[in-house]
Amino acid sequence: MKNLKQQKQAAVFWILRIMTWLVVGILFWILGFLLVKGMGVLSWEFITTAPKNEMTSGGIFPAIVGTLCLVTGSMLVAFPIGVMSGIYLNEYARNGWTVRFIRIMTNNLSSIPSIVFGLFGMALFVNTLGFGDSILAGSLTLGLLVLPIVIRTTEESLKAIPDTFRNGSRALGASQLQTIYKVVLPIAFPNIMTGLILSIGRVSGETAPILFTVAAYFLPKLPTSIFDQVMALPYHLYVLATSGTDLEAARPMAYGTALVLILIVLLMNIIAGIIRSLTSKDYVK
Amino acid sequence: MRRFIEKSVEKVLMASGAITSLTILLIVVFLFRQGAGLFRNSVVEENYSLAVNKTNPVEKLTPEEIKNIFDREIVNWAQVGGLNEDISVFRLNDITSYVSEEALGEEMQFLSHHLSEIVDTHPHIIAFIPNEYIRKDFKGKVLDVGKITPSDFFAGKEWFPTAQPAPLFGLLPLLLGTLWVSFAAILFALPFGLAVAIYLAELASTRTRAVLKPVIELLAGIPSVIYGFFGLVVVVPLIQKTFDLPVGETALAGSVILAVMAMPTIITIAEDAIRTVPRATKEASLALGASQMQTIFKVILPYCVSGIMAAVVLGIGRAVGETMAVLMVTGNSAIIPTTLLEPVRTIPATIAAELGEAPTGGAHYEALFMLGVILFLITLFISILIEIISAKQIKQQQ
């Protein structure tokens, strides 16, 4: 009787285990699939030339440059603001309704769908402020989108630092600003960087917010100012996959683009993960 | 001096803390302002009117009726409350079959006169003509079509934004499509999500967990356009073959992809919830002779049911707002869904697909912003729901 009960339990646990490995397997399926199909397309030429023959051959250089521009632009927006508001929330703000309000708003901002950011960016930056479809409008939109990520990681990495560090610094006569600048921030720096890296991963993969704020269907010319349109990797993949003139002929290009994109994004996530696991034990000592 | 610097730095930091709130405020203002413009638009296309013969008893037509009349699906006036007579439809470019080109004059100067005559002499006609040709002595009756009303939008069963003369902006097919795909996705994702969460929290060794957890987090990092592409080249053909369908782009394909995308959210939240179960509760159950399995299913899961609820709600929130993946695999036909094997169209996919073509400031453009408002309200509702659930959870634990 007891044996039967144990067998049943073992069976159920095996089912849970198999379901877990199935879920994990999805990641490797997607990754493996794109590797097998895209590896043959990847070459130096693919990365350094513009698309040719109605995007059925050539490379993705303009899209890579465009994504780089957007990543740089949006980080210039999100990183300083995010770090500053993270510092404010953890170091200055007393636990009153202001902090609660800001925190709820930050949470809400991160739950707003990316297409709504696209609409908003189009209405405010492209139309009302008159930036047009431009790197500037796209970067501002994407910057606001990842702001909650930067705020949250900054706040968490500051929270992880024990108050003994701050008290020690203040006891030596340092002001609050000096303490933050010379003691707290240097310790928190690596963890704050994970916020930056995660945001870069997110920004390079977002499509919906750039559809109507910056992305160009086909533009082999590289941008010369922040008021230019650019191509971007995720939008380029969308175009190749759904709306090219010859979808079948464009498939290899699409596989290659998808592989480059997923490698960039996963690399960013892995780097952030490594930094986090390296630094998470430091304060305990 | 130093105090001054300290104070101003604090003010600058506080200002940047306010930016998220400001952004939300701006999003609300811009979305609502543009979206509300929809209800200032006339039912028929801007600067056009519908005219009928003076003897026609019909005074008012709904947008659906107008569309069906011009699509020749309604062919008799009796169907819209008039006399039992066939409807003859007139658009401006039909003019040459009524009068010769010479009669219109070289610069079309007699056009409005002839339009007036045509409407006057054909008792069963309905004419769709530009306002500029309707002069004071127009002999027909211009129908009062009114403006697009909120009920046309919220209760409208058809989304036909480019229909002429009366575009239809019915929310229902899109809203139901979105909910249909999202709920199906959660149904797929929940058993797997729960299984993984239980396994990670209760069964896996620390080392297995240290390997699996980052992998599942990576799953959350994959861009939606990659999921969409993968769905398009792998899942869609698979579904088409398995169910022997003419096209594989269906609600089912969308739900499967969304299930995978919502899974990391569900797993993380559910696992956190399972971990909050006090050790004493678990040990009490084991001490009473319950097996580990009985403890998991009869003690742990009931204990953290509100945490699992939160996971489900957040998963739905993620699925409802997802754009690119859904746009690429669901086939995008705006019909009210009845099975999972039909194409559907969701709210975010509609915005993404149509905003590029909608002229800025027109009714279609404003309708898409209205869809954005709906999407925003849904996510706001979900955020509030989560707040309520987690507040309940904290109360319960105290």
Side-chain angles (χ1 to χ4, degrees):
Chain A
M1 199 55 192
K2 197 181 174 201
N3 207 2
L4 190 71
K5 201 168 129 189
Q6 276 175 345
Q7 275 175 1
K8 204 173 139 199
Q9 171 167 314
V12 170
F13 285 177
W14 265 108
I15 292 174
L16 294 181
R17 193 168 291 145
I18 289 167
M19 284 171 97
T20 306
W21 286 106
L22 276 178
V23 171
V24 171
I26 295 173
L27 176 75
F28 292 102
W29 186 19
I30 296 177
L31 200 59
F33 178 79
L34 292 180
L35 267 177
V36 169
K37 294 274 189 174
M39 210 55 200
V41 189
L42 276 201
S43 65
W44 185 243
E45 196 211 339
F46 183 69
I47 294 181
T48 54
T49 57
K52 277 183 291 218
N53 303 330
E54 315 227 291
M55 297 195 247
T56 54
S57 65
I60 52 170
F61 186 59
I64 293 180
V65 172
T67 289
L68 270 179
C69 292
L70 290 176
V71 165
T72 317
S74 57
M75 288 309 117
L76 286 177
V77 176
F79 192 62
I81 298 176
V83 170
M84 287 199 293
S85 59
I87 294 175
Y88 176 75
L89 283 175
N90 197 62
E91 302 291 322
Y92 284 93
R94 285 154 217 90
N95 260 328
W97 67 270
T98 354
V99 185
R100 241 188 80 108
F101 183 75
I102 292 179
R103 220 164 263 152
I104 289 175
M105 282 309 194
T106 310
N107 270 338
N108 279 344
L109 192 64
S110 68
S111 68
I112 293 176
S114 54
I115 186 75
V116 174
F117 277 95
L119 279 177
F120 166 68
M122 180 180 184
L124 177 60
F125 302 126
V126 175
N127 293 339
T128 308
L129 296 180
F131 297 155
D133 279 3
S134 61
I135 297 178
L136 182 60
S139 302
L140 286 167
T141 311
L142 288 169
L144 292 176
L145 178 82
V146 293
L147 195 53
I149 301 181
V150 183
I151 296 179
R152 207 174 298 145
T153 42
T154 306
E155 214 192 328
E156 270 161 24
S157 46
L158 293 177
K159 209 178 276 169
I161 300 171
D163 273 341
T164 44
F165 284 85
R166 297 185 183 89
N167 296 342
S169 164
R170 295 304 294 274
L172 289 171
S175 69
Q176 187 172 16
L177 187 60
Q178 284 171 326
T179 307
I180 292 170
Y181 190 64
K182 296 249 167 84
V183 179
V184 177
L185 279 187
I187 304 176
F189 181 73
N191 275 329
I192 294 179
M193 291 312 284
T194 62
L196 178 71
I197 295 164
L198 283 178
S199 318
I200 291 177
R202 176 85 191 268
V203 165
S204 11
E206 277 294 343
T207 318
I210 60 172
L211 279 177
F212 315 112
T213 53
V214 51
Y217 183 81
F218 177 67
L219 191 73
K221 192 168 65 77
L222 296 182
T224 52
S225 88
I226 54 167
F227 292 104
D228 282 349
Q229 266 190 293
V230 283
M231 294 174 83
L233 278 177
Y235 182 61
H236 188 58
L237 172 58
Y238 170 67
V239 167
L240 286 174
T242 61
S243 46
T245 38
D246 185 350
L247 285 184
E248 280 313 307
R251 265 298 126 83
M253 294 290 108
Y255 284 121
T257 312
L259 185 59
V260 171
L261 183 58
I262 202 171
L263 287 180
I264 294 177
V265 172
L266 290 188
L267 190 70
M268 290 300 153
N269 280 278
I270 290 170
I271 293 176
I274 290 173
I275 295 181
R276 204 183 292 154
S277 66
L278 283 182
T279 54
S280 63
K281 302 155 206 146
D282 281 0
Y283 318 120
V284 186
K285 288 174 201 160
Chain B
M1 184 63 194
R2 207 170 103 186
R3 271 190 71 95
F4 175 73
I5 293 174
E6 295 259 333
K7 277 282 157 213
S8 30
V9 167
E10 187 181 337
K11 287 280 170 301
V12 170
L13 293 177
M14 191 174 153
S16 50
I19 285 191
T20 50
S21 318
L22 182 71
T23 309
I24 293 206
L25 189 74
L26 283 174
I27 289 179
V28 170
V29 168
F30 272 89
L31 253 55
F32 276 79
R33 211 186 57 186
Q34 303 263 6
L38 174 65
F39 304 119
R40 283 193 293 273
N41 283 293
S42 165
V43 162
V44 295
E45 208 172 312
E46 216 180 330
N47 300 325
Y48 280 78
S49 289
L50 288 175
V52 293
N53 189 278
K54 274 223 165 82
T55 59
N56 196 323
V58 174
E59 294 287 343
K60 222 175 153 20
L61 290 169
T62 67
E64 269 101 356
E65 285 169 345
I66 297 171
K67 174 178 172 281
N68 287 337
I69 287 173
F70 278 82
D71 283 352
R72 312 282 161 110
E73 273 165 33
I74 293 178
V75 290
N76 194 302
W77 281 111
Q79 286 170 280
V80 291
L83 306 164
N84 184 19
E85 294 288 349
D86 286 347
I87 300 176
S88 60
V89 170
F90 177 86
R91 291 173 202 260
L92 197 59
N93 46 7
D94 297 333
I95 186 92
T96 45
S97 50
Y98 289 83
V99 281
S100 67
E101 264 178 60
E102 291 84 57
L104 293 172
E106 256 171 46
E107 273 138 20
M108 298 287 199
Q109 63 269 47
F110 303 121
L111 179 60
S112 42
H113 168 73
H114 284 290
L115 283 174
S116 170
E117 287 299 319
I118 290 168
V119 175
D120 191 39
T121 50
H122 297 77
H124 312 305
I125 201 168
I126 179 162
F128 172 56
I129 40 183
N131 285 343
E132 55 183 306
Y133 297 123
I134 300 180
R135 290 198 311 226
K136 281 228 173 68
D137 57 349
F138 188 70
K139 287 179 193 153
K141 179 170 72 175
V142 175
L143 283 181
D144 167 34
V145 285
K147 303 208 179 303
I148 296 173
T149 61
S151 79
D152 289 337
F153 178 74
F154 289 103
K157 289 190 191 66
E158 274 182 283
W159 178 264
F160 240 111
T162 51
Q164 239 198 354
L168 294 180
F169 302 109
L171 172 67
L172 283 183
L174 307 181
L175 184 66
L176 292 176
T178 310
L179 296 178
W180 185 247
V181 175
S182 306
F183 281 116
I186 295 304
L187 279 185
F188 294 138
L190 189 60
F192 281 94
L194 265 186
V196 179
I198 295 172
Y199 182 74
L200 287 181
E202 292 294 321
L203 303 176
S205 66
T206 332
R207 257 180 68 192
T208 324
R209 190 173 176 275
V211 176
L212 292 186
K213 191 87 188 158
V215 173
I216 287 163
E217 272 161 20
L218 282 187
L219 215 48
I222 297 180
S224 60
V225 69
I226 300 247
Y227 277 115
F229 180 59
F230 183 76
L232 193 65
V233 292
V234 176
V235 180
V236 165
L238 202 68
I239 286 175
Q240 186 184 3
K241 218 181 280 169
T242 318
F243 296 96
D244 197 23
L245 299 169
V247 283
E249 277 108 340
T250 53
L252 181 64
S255 328
V256 170
I257 292 295
L258 281 179
V260 177
M261 298 181 74
M263 219 138 21
T265 314
I266 295 183
I267 293 171
T268 314
I269 311 277
E271 197 207 337
D272 287 347
I274 294 174
R275 283 179 177 278
T276 60
V277 177
R279 211 188 155 92
T281 313
K282 276 191 253 176
E283 281 172 358
S285 162
L286 292 171
L288 286 171
S291 68
Q292 200 183 355
M293 185 174 82
Q294 286 168 326
T295 309
I296 290 174
F297 287 99
K298 301 244 164 92
V299 177
I300 296 178
L301 288 189
Y303 185 92
C304 51
V305 81
S306 57
I308 293 167
M309 281 279 292
V312 170
V313 175
L314 266 181
I316 293 177
R318 176 95 205 260
V320 166
E322 182 45 53
T323 313
M324 299 315 289
V326 177
L327 175 64
M328 290 166 87
V329 301
T330 52
N332 296 316
S333 55
I335 40 174
I336 293 179
T338 48
T339 75
L340 275 181
L341 296 175
E342 278 171 35
V344 289
R345 169 166 244 188
T346 67
I347 294 177
T350 306
I351 301 175
E354 291 176 3
L355 192 58
E357 283 135 41
T360 309
H364 188 189
Y365 179 87
E366 287 167 340
L368 293 174
F369 271 85
M370 204 59 211
L371 290 184
V373 170
I374 301 294
L375 209 54
F376 178 80
L377 291 179
I378 294 176
T379 46
L380 194 68
F381 173 72
I382 285 174
S383 300
I384 293 170
L385 210 59
I386 296 281
E387 289 281 321
I388 293 172
I389 292 174
S390 55
K392 219 180 199 170
Q393 206 176 353
I394 291 166
K395 215 172 169 185
Q396 179 196 24
Q397 276 161 12
Q398 283 163 353

